[in-house]
Amino acid sequence: AIPDVRDGLKPVQRRILYVMNDLGLRPGTPFRKSAGVVGEVMGKYHPHGDSAIYEAMVRMGQSFAMSVPLVTPKGNFGSLDDPPAAYRYTEARLSPAAMSMVAEIDEDTVDFGPNFDGEREEPGCLPALLPNLLVNGASGIAVGMATNMAPHNLAEVAAAIELVLTQRRPRPTVDELMALVPGPDFPCGGILIDDGSLREAYETGRGTIRVRARAEIEPISSRRQGIVVTELPYMVGPERVQAKIRELILAGRLEGVAAVIDLSDRNHGLRLVIECKADVNPHALLNRLYRLTPLEESFGINNVALVNGVPYTLGLYELCQHYIDHRLDVIVRRTEYRLRRARDREHILAGLLI
């Protein structure tokens, strides 16, 4: 349930990516039934329930859950309000980003260990060129501890890693890093409200931020105005917002709402229209909606990750530093492997010349 700091993956996610790469399900190849992937993962590496494996695979393919999806889906992989189709219907393959996670795994770049029955070897972590833990975040509940890490913008994370890599003494301060990474970047958008706890979260690894929906006031008719919501907080679906508003109206705790209409579609994305009654101040109503409904949610940052198998709470600087250490280790091992291969080849060629 706790991700490794090097590749930012939990064991089930790592096994799914490794198996899909092993099966040759890469970008440009035909899609393969999800049931086949789940069965392969369960039979060879992950002795747990098939639903847990499938749910982990689906999440890696949802563009609203991950900033950079690692699985390319085909079929119904669900939405914020609806579950995905059963694994006998959907298909999947690796995304281009996932290829950078597993690239060069066959060049002795990472350590392998025995699987559950000792028949095969599986990687302890992936080479992970993508700084996955920072870019995609993570959430998991273990025994006695939990982790909840926010996703970030890839370009901003790359700039922060470059700063940590180039500026050794004195090491970059939290403020210097925050000039490059101003805050989390959720795939569904939303507005971040920071009361100073974001800096604390980046320094210590723990803090709480509030994420608010992006809403505009627009005229609907000559006498009525409406609140148009185009972005929602992370992992909040429009149906959940509608249900909560209706519940508040029935309980008599919310007045001034004439109707709630979901106009979301494929071409225009999310568009949730909350129609105000005549002579109602839409700004006052919007503030009340932020207070009572999931249009504003708090996000508790708790950066717990495994460092050499031991859970630690890590700040932004430590996360960047661990990624750099891992990548340098991968590059050194890859170069040594290629040198060994070249020397072995040279030995054969010298014999052929003689």
Side-chain angles (χ1 to χ4, degrees):
I2 306 291
D4 191 297
V5 76
R6 294 168 294 179
D7 59 4
L9 297 170
K10 304 175 194 178
V12 63
Q13 296 172 316
R14 190 177 301 118
R15 287 162 176 164
I16 289 166
L17 295 181
Y18 181 62
V19 163
M20 288 176 81
N21 185 49
D22 230 23
L23 294 171
L25 308 183
R26 303 183 181 97
T29 62
F31 285 91
R32 177 90 166 264
K33 268 279 187 277
S34 302
V37 177
V38 170
E40 198 86 359
V41 173
M42 188 163 51
K44 288 184 177 174
Y45 303 106
H46 199 70
H48 300 275
D50 54 350
S51 60
I53 298 169
Y54 182 54
E55 279 167 25
M57 188 180 105
V58 161
R59 189 181 162 83
M60 287 198 289
Q62 291 174 330
S63 58
F64 53 83
M66 300 194 101
S67 292
V68 181
L70 302 176
V71 170
T72 305
K74 189 177 182 189
N76 175 14
F77 262 51
S79 70
L80 283 162
D81 296 304
D82 305 303
Y87 57 47
R88 60 181 177 273
Y89 300 117
T90 60
E91 298 180 350
R93 67 182 179 208
L94 292 177
S95 70
M99 293 312 297
S100 70
M101 295 290 290
V102 295
E104 298 154 359
I105 197 165
D106 53 353
E107 297 190 78
D108 191 30
T109 47
V110 291
D111 291 325
F112 279 71
N115 71 335
F116 61 86
D117 58 5
E119 297 265 318
R120 297 178 178 81
E121 298 268 291
E122 63 170 317
C125 79
L126 298 181
L129 177 59
L130 181 78
N132 183 52
L133 195 55
L134 281 160
V135 171
N136 279 325
S139 65
I141 300 166
V143 179
M145 69 187 77
T147 182
N148 200 32
M149 303 178 75
H152 290 84
N153 182 289
L154 180 55
E156 293 171 0
V157 166
I161 287 166
E162 190 180 343
L163 181 69
V164 173
L165 183 61
T166 50
Q167 188 179 317
R168 289 303 174 91
R169 288 187 184 85
R171 73 181 220 184
T173 63
V174 176
D175 294 316
E176 285 174 327
L177 288 170
M178 283 187 71
L180 300 171
V181 184
D185 183 14
F186 295 104
C188 320
I191 300 166
L192 242 80
I193 297 172
D194 176 28
D195 52 4
S197 58
L198 187 59
R199 188 186 184 284
E200 184 191 329
Y202 281 152
E203 192 164 18
T204 63
R206 294 182 72 111
T208 306
I209 53 170
R210 296 209 311 283
V211 188
R212 179 177 276 192
R214 190 178 292 277
E216 304 284 333
I217 312 287
E218 291 181 12
I220 289 171
S221 66
S222 56
R223 293 192 60 221
R224 285 162 65 180
Q225 290 186 301
I227 299 163
V228 179
V229 179
T230 50
E231 294 174 16
L232 284 171
Y234 189 49
M235 300 309 283
V236 172
E239 278 182 28
R240 194 173 133 203
V241 176
Q242 282 178 288
K244 183 68 182 174
I245 290 172
R246 290 192 185 114
E247 184 189 310
L248 290 167
I249 292 168
L250 282 173
R253 293 180 59 203
L254 188 66
E255 281 135 21
V257 176
V260 187
I261 307 159
D262 187 4
L263 299 176
S264 309
D265 62 21
R266 277 186 186 173
N267 304 325
H268 303 99
L270 177 77
R271 190 175 167 84
L272 188 65
V273 180
I274 301 162
E275 291 186 11
C276 308
K277 288 179 180 171
D279 309 323
V280 167
N281 181 354
H283 296 280
L285 179 61
L286 182 57
N287 283 334
R288 196 162 164 72
L289 287 169
Y290 282 142
R291 205 167 63 249
L292 297 172
T293 69
L295 287 179
E296 182 175 308
E297 294 245 298
S298 62
F299 185 91
I301 294 173
N302 187 21
N303 295 343
V304 178
L306 297 177
V307 181
N308 298 324
V310 182
Y312 284 95
T313 306
L314 304 165
L316 182 57
Y317 174 82
E318 288 87 8
L319 289 169
C320 293
Q321 190 57 58
H322 282 299
Y323 167 77
I324 290 165
D325 294 343
H326 171 57
R327 279 308 297 174
L328 290 176
D329 184 45
V330 165
I331 291 163
V332 169
R333 288 181 64 162
R334 182 186 72 193
T335 312
E336 286 171 349
Y337 171 83
R338 288 177 181 176
L339 181 62
R340 266 199 318 276
R341 287 287 300 270
R343 282 182 174 151
D344 292 348
R345 179 79 184 133
E346 186 195 24
H347 187 70
I348 291 165
L349 291 175
L352 289 171
L353 284 169
I354 291 164

